[in-house]
Amino acid sequence: MFNHIVILTGAGISAESGIPVFRSETGLWEQERVEDVATYEGFSRDPVKVHNFYNKMRQSIKTKVPNPAHLALARLQKEYPQKYGATVDLVTQNIDDLHEKAGSTDIIHMHGELNSILCEHCGKRYPYFEDSTPKSECKHCHHQSLRPDIVWFGEMPYQMERIEKLLYRCDLFIAIGTSGVVYPAAGFCQVASSVGALCVEFNLEPSAVGSSFNYGLYGKASVTLPQFVDELIEKGTAKQSV
Ligand code: BV8
């Protein structure tokens, strides 16, 4: 049995729900330059462009639904602790709300989320579902200083202390649909592995940090993950190697 399971998801888990990944021929970064829409400098240079980039995404996820991979994680999070008295923590790099829609709870959105807004003046973050502009007013301090609640390159991801504590005590680390390119998330497997956790990655192909994992299950996550979760819930354990 495992006592503490940590899950990390990336854009690949949402790909089959119709949300484009970042790094592929049709990826998001093919249309926009990272420097223009995912850095504070880009936001300062052209706030209207950046507000609109995230407004489009915020509207587009309204119609997206979770796929079997999201649903498998929601089941794992609910049933494994009930059956084995363990903890299951879900960390996502994704800014969409498909884990919430799948029924997962207490999700750690380390790169922020589309359905939230951040006020640069008073520092408050709160749920937000409409379009934002440089003129949008903060509901708390009424300053026109709202920005997308997204962690851009060069900014500190959210809840890093909490995530590190979870990694240092985990005995099963699962990464799903992430290319292993962006740090600090790409370094999580090494931390888990250093404390002896079993590390399994789910992807279409080995990620940039694939060699840090004990093994990978390659194929569409909507197929590979439910199978793995069914066995994990039923037996309490997972293969140490494949
Ligand atoms: C920080 C928000 C420090 C925007 C994002 C040099 C070396 C090491 C690090 C750095 C360096 N230079 C700079 C850095 C740091 C930098 C970094 O890592 N850069 C990289 C590019 C080299 N990191 C940062 O800046 C981070 N902050 O380090 O702060 C600091 C310290 C003190 C004080 C202040 C600051 C902040 C990183 C967060 C940036 N924001 N997103 C937005 O979302 O629009 S990152 C962006 O990439 C997304 O958040 C995304 O989650 C993340 C990772 O991408 P993935 O999720 O992995 O998605 P990707 O498309 O890449 O891959 C999809 C995968 O799914 C593929 O592998 C594919 O095969 C697979 N897949 C596809 N379909 C399926 C599938 N798998 C299974 N089934 C399928 N069906």
Side-chain angles (χ1 to χ4, degrees):
M1 298 328 137
F2 295 107
N3 296 306
H4 300 294
I5 300 175
V6 174
I7 301 156
L8 171 70
T9 61
I13 197 170
S14 297
E16 292 170 79
S17 295
I19 297 181
V21 296
F22 290 89
R23 296 163 186 85
S24 74
E25 307 74 62
T26 55
L28 266 180
W29 296 146
E30 291 313 305
Q31 281 108 39
E32 298 286 351
R33 284 172 4 109
V34 173
E35 300 78 359
D36 294 340
V37 293
T39 62
Y40 193 76
E41 295 69 28
F43 179 64
S44 311
R45 219 175 15 252
D46 190 344
V48 172
K49 176 190 177 76
V50 176
H51 274 289
N52 286 339
F53 177 70
Y54 290 102
N55 289 339
K56 255 189 328 192
M57 264 204 243
R58 189 179 299 112
Q59 294 317 319
S60 79
I61 63 167
K62 285 188 162 71
T63 59
K64 299 295 185 290
V65 295
N67 65 59
H70 296 102
L71 296 169
L73 292 186
R75 199 171 144 238
L76 178 64
Q77 220 184 356
K78 188 160 155 278
E79 295 184 20
Y80 198 88
Q82 276 170 351
K83 199 167 173 189
Y84 303 104
T87 63
V88 178
D89 287 282
L90 175 55
V91 181
T92 186
Q93 300 171 89
N94 297 342
I95 57 177
D96 64 54
D97 59 354
L98 293 183
H99 284 306
E100 286 82 354
K101 286 179 178 170
S104 280
T105 54
D106 193 18
I107 300 147
I108 302 175
H109 279 276
M110 65 179 289
H111 289 166
E113 43 191 311
L114 285 166
N115 292 335
S116 173
I117 204 87
L118 170 63
C119 176
E120 291 199 283
H121 180 77
C122 69
K124 287 207 169 60
R125 308 166 57 198
Y126 54 92
Y128 199 84
F129 300 92
E130 61 248 46
D131 286 357
S132 59
T133 75
K135 296 234 177 306
S136 303
E137 229 183 70
C138 171
K139 77 173 186 182
H140 296 289
C141 70
H142 306 296
H143 277 71
Q144 294 176 352
S145 47
L146 294 180
R147 59 163 272 185
D149 188 14
I150 303 290
V151 176
W152 287 322
F153 287 97
E155 295 185 324
M156 181 58 92
Y158 287 132
Q159 303 196 56
M160 280 307 296
E161 266 181 44
R162 179 180 172 199
I163 294 170
E164 269 153 24
K165 282 202 185 86
L166 293 173
L167 291 169
Y168 276 110
R169 71 167 192 186
C170 79
D171 48 8
L172 174 61
F173 176 72
I174 306 171
I176 303 138
T178 180
S179 57
V181 165
V182 176
Y183 286 80
F188 288 176
C189 179
Q190 261 168 342
V191 177
S193 173
S194 74
V195 294
L198 172 67
C199 300
V200 185
E201 84 164 347
F202 291 78
N203 203 308
L204 298 178
E205 70 219 345
S207 71
V209 290
S211 56
S212 311
F213 291 81
N214 294 81
Y215 60 89
L217 293 172
Y218 299 116
K220 290 192 169 189
S222 66
V223 175
T224 56
L225 190 59
Q227 290 166 354
F228 179 86
V229 166
D230 287 348
E231 198 175 322
L232 184 58
I233 292 172
E234 192 200 327
K235 297 186 182 146
T237 57
K239 290 188 188 76
Q240 291 299 318
S241 61
V242 289

